[in-house]
Amino acid sequence: MTGPASTLERPRRTPDLPIGPGGPSVATGDGGAAGQAPVGAALIAAWLLVAAITLLFAAFTATLLARRAEADWRGGPLPAVLWASTAVLLLSSGAMEWARAGGRRGRRDRLWAGLLLTLVLGVVFVGLQWTAWRQLVRIGVYMSTNPHSAFFYLLTGAHAVHVAGGLGWLAQALARTRRAASAAAAMAAVDPAAVYWHFLDVLWLYLFTILFAL
């Protein structure tokens, strides 16, 4: 007769099974769960932040589109430097992916160098945005000049603030990459920053299109 003690007995772990003679083992039972990389809290937080910012800019641009339907709407000038800033931001995303590819290969030096390049390009982007605002001011286009200029300063300014936050995030990931024991360990800090940074890139392309191409 089976007693209560045997009913409550803990399930035994299935031993690892080899793949062919001399091959690696396949973890089963408890070992299988241990082999899966968990989704980090920082990565989840990054996606939640992206969702929140998306809602914010969706509200801004919905208001812009509604205002543009009115008869007095006039488009504003496009500062040429914005083409350069757009190219710089795209390059920064490329640098980020170059860094992550190195990190996945265990190249911590390349991961660190790519992050540093991304950070520098991000700073250049903010500098070029500042130059665009200065160019508009020099030709007499202020926030109060017309509805288009008001939305231009609002959207580009809000985006630049979020880029500044991204630069801080990149700096933190850079510091953790320097201190990490390996490239794999550093990727836990880099991946969430990469999600946010690529989002800023896509967001800028969206704003550029809304402001000047539609």
Side-chain angles (χ1 to χ4, degrees):
M1 180 176 178
T2 304
S6 60
T7 303
L8 299 177
E9 184 180 357
R10 296 178 58 186
R12 295 182 180 178
R13 182 182 184 277
T14 305
D16 294 347
L17 304 175
I19 299 178
S25 296
V26 175
T28 59
D30 297 342
Q36 298 175 359
V39 178
L43 193 57
I44 295 174
W47 281 110
L48 291 176
L49 181 61
V50 164
I53 298 172
T54 298
L55 292 176
L56 174 66
F57 278 89
F60 284 157
T61 54
T63 306
L64 182 154
L65 292 175
R67 182 64 182 83
R68 188 161 58 184
E70 298 184 15
D72 63 339
W73 178 270
R74 298 290 183 275
L78 167 61
V81 72
L82 289 186
W83 291 108
S85 66
T86 302
V88 167
L89 197 58
L90 291 173
L91 285 174
S92 72
S93 275
M96 173 64 83
E97 284 310 299
W98 180 74
R100 295 176 72 200
R104 287 192 289 268
R105 293 181 175 86
R107 294 277 309 277
R108 195 174 60 165
D109 56 339
R110 176 171 154 179
L111 178 62
W112 191 85
L115 285 177
L116 181 61
L117 179 58
T118 305
L119 184 66
V120 170
L121 290 172
V123 172
V124 173
F125 172 80
V126 174
L128 291 174
Q129 297 299 87
W130 174 258
T131 302
W133 298 329
R134 296 285 298 171
Q135 287 179 351
L136 289 177
V137 168
R138 278 199 294 269
I139 62 174
V141 178
Y142 300 93
M143 193 168 188
S144 58
T145 300
N146 55 53
H148 182 275
S149 64
F151 277 105
F152 173 81
Y153 283 108
L154 171 65
L155 293 176
T156 58
H159 181 265
V161 169
H162 287 89
V163 170
L167 292 175
W169 201 340
L170 284 175
Q172 183 191 40
L174 198 61
R176 291 187 63 178
T177 299
R178 176 65 79 181
R179 297 194 303 267
S182 65
M187 290 296 284
V190 173
D191 284 342
V195 167
Y196 183 72
W197 193 257
H198 291 321
F199 165 72
L200 293 176
D201 198 339
V202 173
L203 178 61
W204 171 247
L205 294 177
Y206 168 71
L207 296 178
F208 190 94
T209 302
I210 287 285
L211 285 167
F212 296 107
L214 291 182

